[in-house]
Amino acid sequence: MSRADLSKNPDEVSGMFTKVAKGYDRTNALMSFGNDSLWRIATQKAVDPKPGERILDIAAGTGTSSATFARSGATVIAADFSPGMIAEGRRRHPEIEFVEADATKLPFGDDEFDAVTISFGLRNVVHPEVALAEMYRVLKPGGRLVICEFSTPPLAVMRLGYDIYMKRFAPTIARLASSNPEAYLYLRESIEEWPDQGTLSGWIRGVGFTRVAHRNLTGGVVALHRGRKPVDPAVRASAARRRASRQRAGTES
């Protein structure tokens, strides 16, 4: 894979993650200097899983976060598009239901879940706005969306330091810790291509979510985005009309 732009090939990305599945969590912990655990805690608090709820964890990888959600008593479905990640997740967490799924064509009915979450996976989707619309579809009215994703530090000095780390130091760590260092070249490029917090918030609003907000973590290296599927049927109908209008415009352009 030469470039990690938004026209990335899903099969190539899936195959790449299959190759790094076994050491994925360990390498992430090393490359983030342990901050990945703090990001998971923040995501857990934002999702706020409750006993009896149904939660969909998209791009669940090996199921580390899914298992945390399940400890609350919620029923968690861990979805991923990498067969290798799913196999490793099932080995580690046999108590969790894993489903191979494309985020742009979720194999679930309308209004099924109380919460949908995706961590560090949305930027790997070819059409992220389509995936967001699918997340909206499968959520119950009033359901919660939580997205944890790499982002753009708002302070110039932080952006500079982060850029230096990703270009000079991260590749060395990846070569030492990962079975497929090229996958972490993709990681850097996919982060560079990914839009900032405001753009992603606009996409979330655009598919119909309300109460959209984000919070920067680790100086904006990562951002935690939230939204709600409206309870009011009139508000949902208005959002549906806007989505249909955008789809028609996209078809005609």
Side-chain angles (χ1 to χ4, degrees):
M1 180 177 299
S2 59
R3 291 297 299 171
D5 60 21
L6 296 182
S7 62
K8 59 186 75 67
N9 184 300
D11 291 334
E12 291 182 3
V13 177
S14 173
M16 177 193 69
F17 279 106
T18 291
K19 291 178 182 177
V20 301
K22 288 187 177 180
Y24 183 73
D25 293 330
R26 181 191 67 248
T27 304
N28 284 347
L30 288 170
M31 293 188 69
S32 70
F33 297 103
N35 278 289
D36 60 321
S37 62
L38 300 178
W39 300 333
R40 277 196 299 273
I41 291 169
T43 303
Q44 161 83 8
K45 290 180 178 178
V47 173
D48 190 22
K50 296 178 175 63
E53 288 190 327
R54 281 175 55 80
I55 295 175
L56 176 61
D57 186 13
I58 302 174
T62 59
T64 302
S65 293
S66 304
T68 301
F69 301 143
R71 291 190 197 109
S72 69
T75 298
V76 181
I77 307 298
D80 202 282
F81 72 154
S82 166
M85 284 287 190
I86 290 173
E88 184 66 15
R90 286 172 175 160
R91 185 186 70 80
R92 296 186 188 185
H93 303 289
E95 76 282 7
I96 300 292
E97 180 181 353
F98 283 82
V99 176
E100 186 174 344
D102 180 343
T104 63
K105 298 177 184 177
L106 293 173
F108 308 105
D110 297 351
D111 307 333
E112 278 201 31
F113 296 95
D114 297 283
V116 173
T117 183
I118 179 170
S119 293
F120 306 108
L122 190 59
R123 75 182 190 286
N124 297 320
V125 179
V126 178
H127 301 294
E129 290 174 274
V130 175
L132 289 169
E134 277 289 273
M135 296 175 205
Y136 180 95
R137 179 183 66 79
V138 302
L139 270 172
K140 297 176 182 178
R144 312 181 298 280
L145 172 73
V146 177
I147 299 170
C148 189
E149 187 54 89
F150 288 110
S151 201
T152 305
L155 296 179
V157 65
M158 187 68 179
R159 288 196 300 273
L160 177 61
Y162 184 48
D163 186 62
I164 291 171
Y165 166 72
M166 289 300 291
K167 289 181 177 177
R168 296 188 180 180
F169 298 103
T172 300
I173 297 173
R175 281 194 296 272
L176 294 173
S178 174
S179 59
N180 184 13
E182 291 77 13
Y184 291 88
L185 171 61
Y186 165 85
L187 170 68
R188 191 193 81 199
E189 292 181 335
S190 69
I191 293 171
E192 290 173 350
E193 295 285 344
W194 189 244
D196 62 13
Q197 293 91 320
T199 300
L200 179 51
S201 292
W203 289 353
I204 295 169
R205 289 189 188 93
V207 301
F209 286 100
T210 57
R211 297 170 61 180
V212 175
H214 77 269
R215 177 164 68 96
N216 288 329
L217 306 176
T218 318
V221 167
V222 165
L224 194 64
H225 290 259
R226 288 161 291 161
R228 291 269 185 164
K229 183 171 180 175
V231 174
D232 188 334
V235 176
R236 295 201 303 274
S238 176
R241 288 193 294 271
R242 291 198 303 273
R243 286 196 302 274
S245 177
R246 283 197 305 273
Q247 288 171 355
R248 287 195 297 271
T251 301
E252 293 169 359
S253 62

